[in-house]
Amino acid sequence: MSVQGEDTRVLIGSSSATSNEIDEINNASMKHSGNLVELSHFGDTYKTRGAGLKDVTYSLKGFWDPADTNGQVVLRSAFIAGSDLWLTILPDGSTGWKQQVLVDSFDISAAVDGYAEFSAELAGNGALGGST
Amino acid sequence: MAIQGPDIKVKVAGTPVAFSSAATASTGDQNYALTAALAGQPWDAWATVSLLVGGVATTDTYDVNRLLGQIEFSTAAVRVVTVSGSYLPMSQAASAKSYAYSGAANLLPDTVFNSSWVTRSPGLKDLSGTLGQFWADRSFSTMLGSTVYHPTIIEIYDDAGSTRGHRFWAQLGTVDVEAALDGLVEETVGWECRPDADHRVAAFST
């Protein structure tokens, strides 16, 4: 059965034992990469590949909320400190993934005819785990 | 709660103004900030800041926080602190209509043999941004070409009622003015962070 986007939950914590929901997020994506290594050699007629280092990157977008001190502000503070966080993404609200991450970038912008917006890019820092 | 664009306010620093033996008050912790008309004003990025405690030079350890305009002692004590330096008068960018700022960590892969997942360490951090406004005068162009603003401060208030916004040491890199026959003249200012004499680049209000 398909999962509605509105059910998605994104949580962040400064340790694996803590996690708080990030408020005002309306778009989250994660990208798994196997960094495949091409192993083709003379005599092959089709490309062959081997698995490389596995990696996951994340993109979060939403409305900027400076009052979300356990969520969005934690992301910005971790960027400043260069500290690791634990990100949990639950597409259906209860089942998903958890991984130690670093904040690669964050962006905040606003225009007079809209609402202040927030986005952040995160990168995995180790193995991806499941979360329920 | 989401923030509506019309509630936002942006301020920009003006030309440095010297002050001498100005009184301070404790902010309730180990920090001392200027009072009265100078309260809350940031200080020049490079100008010398000197202070006296009880009228004499102090041996106490302290930091100068230029973005917040305050002296931060490492230990608590009752002190009478006076400060000399230069402050930056902040005034509202009356024609501003958009802003954006970005932080980049430039993460460095540090994966080693016998790993199956990528690991990383933070690299050199960077902050940059833009300020969009309806063109009003040549002030930003002047700032770009002046050695006085090295850098300046851009302060972004999440809402107009806040007592202080997010302050950035901003070295102006670009000033683009664009006019079209059927529109208003617009200006986009691009900036990149530049640490002050005490190695700070930003002070977030939350």
Side-chain angles (χ1 to χ4, degrees):
Chain A
M1 195 178 80
S2 59
V3 174
Q4 288 186 295
E6 67 190 44
D7 293 336
T8 300
R9 298 171 62 212
V10 182
L11 303 94
I12 200 76
S14 56
S15 73
S16 61
T18 60
S19 56
N20 296 291
E21 200 138 352
I22 305 174
D23 295 338
E24 304 287 353
I25 296 293
N26 56 24
N27 188 295
S29 64
M30 64 183 295
K31 184 176 180 180
H32 299 67
S33 174
N35 291 314
L36 302 182
V37 179
E38 189 173 333
L39 301 174
S40 308
H41 53 77
F42 295 145
D44 286 341
T45 53
Y46 280 85
K47 287 186 175 180
T48 59
R49 298 176 171 89
L53 283 171
K54 294 183 282 293
D55 195 11
V56 185
T57 56
Y58 304 85
S59 177
L60 306 176
K61 297 177 183 175
F63 294 106
W64 167 233
D65 182 4
D68 182 22
T69 54
N70 291 324
Q72 294 187 19
V73 175
V74 167
L75 289 170
R76 192 185 58 194
S77 299
F79 161 76
I80 295 167
S83 55
D84 287 86
L85 295 173
W86 278 258
L87 180 75
T88 304
I89 289 192
L90 309 171
D92 63 359
S94 60
T95 306
W97 300 270
K98 188 172 194 175
Q99 189 178 23
Q100 189 171 345
V101 297
L102 282 164
V103 180
D104 194 17
S105 67
F106 74 86
D107 300 88
I108 295 172
S109 62
V112 69
D113 56 353
Y115 284 76
E117 297 181 352
F118 163 87
S119 67
E121 304 288 330
L122 297 90
N125 197 15
L128 178 69
S131 181
T132 55
Chain B
M1 198 175 78
I3 300 164
Q4 284 189 297
D7 291 341
I8 292 163
K9 182 169 69 176
V10 176
K11 286 186 175 182
V12 179
T15 308
V17 179
F19 60 89
S20 180
S21 300
T24 67
S26 169
T27 57
D29 41 30
Q30 294 157 204
N31 304 336
Y32 286 76
L34 299 181
T35 58
L38 301 182
Q41 302 283 10
W43 298 344
D44 185 87
W46 300 105
T48 300
V49 174
S50 58
L51 73 156
L52 299 174
V53 176
V56 298
T58 180
T59 56
D60 293 350
T61 304
Y62 63 88
D63 283 329
V64 177
N65 190 327
R66 295 165 185 269
L67 279 164
L68 299 184
Q70 64 185 22
I71 303 293
E72 300 174 352
F73 288 96
S74 59
T75 57
V78 177
R79 300 177 173 94
V80 177
V81 180
T82 55
V83 182
S84 299
S86 292
Y87 75 93
L88 300 175
M90 302 296 294
S91 57
Q92 188 166 348
S95 303
K97 64 185 177 68
S98 67
Y99 78 80
Y101 66 86
S102 302
N106 296 312
L107 300 179
L108 305 170
D110 59 6
T111 316
V112 296
F113 290 139
N114 294 315
S115 303
S116 54
W117 291 86
V118 171
T119 58
R120 299 174 166 89
S121 295
L124 200 59
K125 291 189 285 286
D126 195 12
L127 279 169
S128 60
T130 59
L131 175 64
Q133 62 172 14
F134 296 109
W135 187 82
D137 57 37
R138 294 182 294 183
S139 59
F140 279 108
S141 175
T142 302
M143 291 169 76
L144 179 65
S146 170
T147 56
V148 174
Y149 305 96
H150 54 90
T152 189
I153 287 179
I154 291 178
E155 182 174 25
I156 296 165
Y157 290 73
D158 286 324
D159 64 81
S162 299
T163 54
R164 185 173 68 75
H166 311 300
R167 289 178 175 173
F168 304 93
W169 283 122
Q171 183 74 49
L172 301 191
T174 58
V175 177
D176 299 328
V177 179
E178 186 174 349
L181 178 66
D182 56 353
L184 299 172
V185 180
E186 299 193 13
E187 181 174 40
T188 303
V189 178
W191 59 268
E192 296 175 21
C193 71
R194 181 179 179 185
D196 63 21
D198 301 287
H199 314 295
R200 289 183 174 83
V201 295
F204 295 101
S205 64
T206 52

